[in-house]
Each structure stands twice: as structure tokens, then as C-alpha cells.
Amino acid sequence: MTPSQSKKYIYLIVPFIKGFALFLILSGLFGIIGCGSHAQAISGWKPATTVVSEDTAKQIIADNSSEKANENTYKQLEAIRLTNKLTLFKINSPSFCGYFGCLHLAYLEETPGEYRPILRRYINPLLPKNTTQIQLLKEPPNGVIAKSSLPCLRFFQTHPTNNTLQQITECFDGQVYKIVETRNSVIGN
């Protein structure tokens, strides 16, 4: 091999090494900060009476209304069972929706048929395209130590007065869900 041929190979090897190094760096970063693989979008809402009894659905409406709710308001209550003990509810009734969105509740089943409220949050359904409203986190966010076997929840909200998307993460502290992390990002045009 002549010296001119060895220089040609060096020009091929250097870009390969740089590309491989960049690949390793990016792989390491995605491994450290993650790329959303630990979060699962919550979907599959059903009428609450398919998840809990009609009496329980009526009681949830009564517990969260300061005025006498319409007898059939419980029919506008939707639910999704997140774990065998944790159920998330949303009320799609004008009586429970407003400027900040519609009321969402989480209840913990302590004994069969006995539920205790552990989360109450208004969530606005108006979000940027391809943005999920609620995510179930398999692991707490970085730096947060789990105090319960219940999963953390991540809510996405548009800020009512500026062009930002809020990401709010709440984890169960043994009594109720509490905010453990909040992030804001500017919504793209």
C-alpha cells in the first residue's frame, strides 16, 4: 500500500469514528433522561357504571357537588381503572366544567366497594395537536422517591393566559396525590 492510499482510508475512518462517537453520546443521553418510554397515555374511558356500581357513581357526584346535582349527572361520569385499587374519573357535565377544564378525580378502593378520594384536578381538554392529556408513569420522575406502589400521574395543560404547555407530575404520598414536578414549554406555532 502506498502512502497516498493510506491517506484515503484515513478520510474514511475519521468520519466513521465521529459518527460512532455521536451515536454513543446520544444513546447515553436517551438512556439517562429517557424519551417517554416510562409513560403510558391514559385512554379508554368508559361510563363509570361499567367500572364501579351505580351507587358509587352517584356518591362521587354528590361528594363533589356543592349544589344538588341532576339525578342523571352520574351518567356523565366516565372512569378508567388504572390499577386494581386506583380508578380515575372525569365528569363531562356543564356543572363540573369551566374555565380551567372539567373535573377529574382519583379514588382509591380501600375495601371492596369503599372508595376514598385522593386526587381532585380540573383538566382542560384543549391541547396542542398530538399531545396527550394524562399519562400514567411506570416510575417516578428523576430524583423522586416513590412513597407508594401507586403510579405517578402526569397532566398536560395549556396555560390560560400565555402560550405555554404545562407538564404537571403528581405522585401519591400515602394520603393524596401531590405535585412533585412542574415544567413549562412554549407551544410551537
Side-chain angles (χ1 to χ4, degrees):
M1 189 176 341
T2 65
S4 65
Q5 287 177 327
S6 64
K7 285 183 182 179
K8 185 189 319 182
Y9 289 118
I10 289 176
Y11 290 115
L12 295 175
I13 293 172
V14 171
F16 173 77
I17 292 172
K18 286 182 180 179
F20 187 69
L22 182 61
F23 169 77
L24 290 175
I25 290 169
L26 290 176
S27 296
L29 284 175
F30 283 127
I32 292 170
I33 57 178
C35 53
S37 63
H38 297 290
Q40 171 187 351
I42 293 176
S43 62
W45 294 93
K46 300 175 187 173
T49 53
T50 63
V51 178
V52 296
S53 71
E54 186 175 308
D55 288 339
T56 299
K58 287 179 178 179
Q59 187 62 49
I60 288 170
I61 295 295
D63 289 348
N64 290 283
S65 178
S66 59
E67 53 191 63
K68 177 127 173 75
N70 179 331
E71 176 66 25
N72 292 320
T73 303
Y74 78 93
K75 292 179 180 175
Q76 295 172 328
L77 182 67
E78 293 182 343
I80 187 166
R81 190 168 295 275
L82 301 177
T83 70
N84 62 349
K85 297 282 187 188
L86 178 64
T87 306
L88 188 62
F89 297 92
K90 69 176 174 179
I91 308 173
N92 291 321
S93 166
S95 302
F96 293 90
C97 296
Y99 180 73
F100 292 109
C102 294
L103 183 60
H104 286 65
L105 308 156
Y107 276 75
L108 181 65
E109 186 174 17
E110 295 183 313
T111 60
E114 296 293 320
Y115 292 85
R116 178 172 66 91
I118 57 174
L119 175 99
R120 179 183 170 99
R121 171 174 285 285
Y122 283 89
I123 302 175
N124 192 330
L126 303 175
L127 292 169
K129 193 175 187 174
N130 299 325
T131 302
T132 186
Q133 192 175 39
I134 306 169
Q135 291 179 339
L136 181 72
L137 300 179
K138 295 175 184 172
E139 297 175 11
N142 289 338
V144 175
I145 297 171
K147 295 181 182 177
S148 165
S149 62
L150 293 179
C152 294
L153 299 171
R154 181 171 287 153
F155 303 98
F156 292 89
Q157 288 277 195
T158 52
H159 193 276
T161 58
N162 60 32
N163 198 29
T164 60
L165 179 68
Q166 294 177 315
Q167 174 184 304
I168 303 157
T169 304
E170 296 193 28
C171 294
F172 190 65
D173 71 354
Q175 294 299 314
V176 295
Y177 271 85
K178 290 194 176 173
I179 295 174
V180 296
E181 182 180 65
T182 302
R183 293 183 183 180
N184 292 318
S185 60
V186 176
I187 298 172
N189 296 330

